[in-house]
């Protein structure tokens, strides 16, 4: 008879802060909060989204005060071959907050990709990209990001966030070149994500008569819960799980061979008898109700919260983390070795 264990273990990785940047933003100074997220990031996504511009003739300023400006404008973009025009602005009760010494606004020169905010000397104080405006107003097509590539943003001790490596990464350069040549209506963005440390979750199966129990099971449990997973290994597990889930077109490895008992990335998971890996990829903003991005791929539908669950063992050989007795309560979409 196949031997089953009473206690099963899973490790879960929660999403922390994240930020999406235009590819050229990697070459410039970032706002303090964005830079902090980049500095602490573990995983990066390369995505694309319809490229938005602003109709320069549509800008209408209704009121400027010392603290904000109320205005409307039309965003333009192409989606599935059709031109779209979406009005946005203060008619939705979302005026633009002005910083110190900012006094006026205008649309940037051709190709009109940004709203420029000017100071009292008519110098550009800052510029807000049309895609950022589309995100702020949650324009449906402009918050849907197709995942093209996933990689590790974790660098060495001297270069913690490895921004130089990302800027010059051959895959990013290839995606940018191919996008410019074949997808002129889409923008390439970089998403930088932090992830929390692994959480251990245990589940018992008291109705399984073949399960071990008592001291033997207690020793197994303490051995697993005392496992200190190195940060580098945690990031490798997260990266592998995300690639296996989205199967991005520019990722070559890890699409088909996860999970596998021969996987170097998962070797320690098998050693410590982990049954399931769960990675949460959430692109919702806690401080702003209703503000979100939707990630998707050719395989995965659009959503702002993807729960990636990977089963490391064949349910016919070993009771699953989601089993109680002979009953299975496994959530839909659990991934197994192909």
């Amino acid at each position: 008879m196949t031997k089953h264990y009473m206690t099963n273990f899973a490790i879960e990785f929660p999403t922390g802060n994240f930020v999406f940047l235009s590819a050229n933003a990697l070459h410039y100074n970032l706002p303090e909060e964005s830079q902090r997220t980049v500095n602490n990031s573990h995983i990066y996504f390369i995505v694309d989204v319809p490229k938005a511009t602003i109709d320069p003739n549509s800008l209408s300023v209704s009121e400027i005060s010392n603290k904000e400006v109320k205005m409307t404008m039309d965003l333009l973009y192409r989606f599935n071959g059709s031109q779209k025009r979406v009005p946005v602005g203060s008619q939705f009760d979302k005026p633009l907050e002005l910083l110190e010494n900012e006094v006026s606004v205008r649309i940037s020169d051709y190709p009109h990709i940004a709203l420029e905010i000017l100071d009292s000397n008519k110098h550009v104080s800052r510029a807000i990209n049309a895609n950022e405006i589309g995100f702020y107003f949650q324009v449906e097509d402009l918050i849907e990001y197709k995942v093209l590539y996933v990689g590790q943003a974790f660098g060495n001790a001297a270069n913690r966030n490895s921004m130089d490596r990302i800027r010059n990464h051959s895959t990013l350069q290839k995606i940018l070149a191919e996008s410019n040549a074949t997808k002129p209506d889409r923008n390439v963005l970089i998403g930088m994500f932090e992830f929390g440390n692994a959480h251990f979750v245990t589940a018992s199966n008291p109705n399984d008569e073949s399960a071990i129990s008592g001291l033997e099971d207690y020793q197994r449990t303490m051995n697993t819960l005392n496992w200190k997973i190195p940060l580098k290994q945690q990031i490798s597990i997260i990266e592998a799980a995300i690639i296996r889930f989205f199967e991005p077109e520019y990722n070559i490895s890890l699409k088909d061979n996860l999970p596998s008992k021969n996987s170097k990335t998962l070797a320690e998971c098998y050693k410590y008898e982990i049954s399931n890996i769960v990675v949460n990829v959430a692109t919702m903003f806690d401080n702003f109700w209703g503000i979100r991005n939707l990630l998707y791929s050719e395989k995965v539908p659009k959503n702002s919260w993807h729960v990636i669950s990977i089963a490391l063992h064949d349910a016919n050989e070993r009771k699953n983390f989601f089993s109680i007795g002979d009953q299975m309560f496994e959530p839909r979409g659990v991934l197994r070795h192909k």
Side-chain angles (χ1 to χ4, degrees), residues 46 148-149 166-183 188 249-252:
I46 301 178
L148 304 177
Y149 182 82
I166 295 174
R167 291 188 195 103
N168 301 311
H169 197 285
S170 59
T171 302
L172 174 59
Q173 300 306 316
K174 178 180 180 180
I175 292 172
L176 290 172
E178 293 185 357
S179 180
N180 288 334
T182 64
K183 303 176 184 177
V188 173
E249 59 188 281
Y250 285 92
N251 282 99
I252 305 303

Side-chain angles (χ1 to χ4, degrees), residues 22 24 51-59 71-76 88 96 104-118 124-134 187:
S22 62
N24 63 328
K51 181 183 296 183
T53 62
I54 305 170
D55 180 354
N57 299 317
S58 69
L59 179 63
M71 60 191 160
T72 60
M73 71 196 80
D74 290 352
L75 298 182
L76 305 174
V88 298
L96 172 69
S104 62
V105 296
R106 72 184 183 195
I107 306 302
S108 63
D109 293 337
Y110 183 82
H112 313 305
I113 62 171
L115 175 73
E116 296 178 339
I117 297 93
L118 308 179
V124 177
S125 171
R126 56 191 169 118
I128 304 175
N129 186 274
N131 275 92
E132 293 181 58
I133 296 172
N187 255 345

Side-chain angles (χ1 to χ4, degrees), residues 189-219:
L189 304 177
I190 314 296
M192 309 294 291
F193 282 72
E194 298 178 57
F195 283 87
N197 287 326
H199 296 162
F200 284 90
V201 183
T202 63
S204 296
N205 191 352
N207 296 323
D208 181 8
E209 296 180 355
S210 64
I212 65 171
S213 59
L215 180 61
E216 186 178 358
D217 191 49
Y218 173 78
Q219 291 174 335

Side-chain angles (χ1 to χ4, degrees), residues 39-88:
N39 291 345
N40 295 323
S41 63
H42 304 115
I43 298 292
Y44 70 95
F45 288 67
I46 301 178
V47 304
D48 74 359
V49 64
K51 181 183 296 183
T53 62
I54 305 170
D55 180 354
N57 299 317
S58 69
L59 179 63
S60 176
V61 178
S62 58
E63 181 183 341
I64 295 182
S65 67
N66 292 330
K67 294 184 178 180
E68 63 184 29
V69 53
K70 295 182 178 180
M71 60 191 160
T72 60
M73 71 196 80
D74 290 352
L75 298 182
L76 305 174
Y77 61 94
R78 297 188 68 84
F79 187 77
N80 290 336
S82 299
Q83 181 74 41
K84 289 200 171 185
R85 175 184 293 268
V86 179
V88 298

Side-chain angles (χ1 to χ4, degrees), residues 240-296:
I242 294 173
I243 292 173
R244 172 68 171 85
F245 180 72
F246 283 103
E247 297 189 9
E249 59 188 281
Y250 285 92
N251 282 99
I252 305 303
S253 61
L254 300 179
K255 288 185 180 181
D256 300 323
N257 63 350
L258 192 77
S260 168
K261 293 183 179 180
N262 296 321
S263 168
K264 293 181 179 179
T265 301
L266 300 182
E268 293 285 287
C269 293
Y270 285 106
K271 175 183 176 181
Y272 287 94
E273 302 188 73
I274 301 299
S275 297
N276 283 73
I277 295 170
V278 178
V279 178
N280 287 281
V281 180
T283 50
M284 300 169 288
F285 291 80
D286 294 336
N287 296 332
F288 302 96
W289 183 86
I291 301 295
R292 59 184 185 154
N293 296 113
L294 307 178
L295 295 179
Y296 72 100

